[in-house]
Amino acid sequence: MSKKLDKKEQDKIVFMYTRKIDETDVDILKLYSEGDLMKQVCDKIYLSEGAVKTRKKKIIKNLDAKTFLQAAVIAAREGII
């Protein structure tokens, strides 16, 4: 039996789909917003530093942000993190 999603969860999924943000991107945003540094983020999500840097650039682009901090603020405002 599938779980019925509330409006907030539905909005989050629509936002992520339309902005081409996946769960790993969300994890990166969350970890940085919690104060983790690059090495900690890499260790927790099992990606190389290069892969995380590439994903950060993708996140900035897909959220139409100028900086990663601005991308995190957008994600927080939209309820993604």
Side-chain angles (χ1 to χ4, degrees):
M1 183 175 212
S2 63
K3 174 181 124 179
K4 187 170 181 167
L5 300 174
D6 64 17
K7 176 79 168 115
K8 185 176 177 181
E9 283 294 314
Q10 290 174 1
D11 290 346
K12 177 181 174 181
I13 291 169
V14 168
F15 180 82
M16 288 174 61
Y17 178 78
T18 57
R19 295 297 187 109
K20 299 179 181 140
I21 299 294
D22 63 27
E23 287 298 326
T24 302
D25 299 332
V26 172
D27 290 342
I28 290 170
L29 284 160
K30 282 181 184 177
L31 291 169
Y32 273 105
S33 71
E34 292 167 359
D36 286 355
L37 301 175
M38 175 67 77
K39 180 160 178 23
Q40 294 166 312
V41 172
C42 294
D43 290 346
K44 289 179 180 178
I45 61 173
Y46 307 106
L47 289 176
S48 69
E49 188 173 321
V52 172
K53 285 180 180 179
T54 299
R55 281 186 171 267
K56 283 176 65 177
K57 289 176 188 174
K58 179 188 104 170
I59 292 166
I60 292 166
K61 179 179 179 261
N62 289 350
L63 293 182
D64 296 323
K66 291 186 172 107
T67 65
F68 190 73
L69 176 59
Q70 185 182 22
V73 169
I74 292 166
R77 187 178 58 225
E78 294 296 328
I80 303 304
I81 60 171

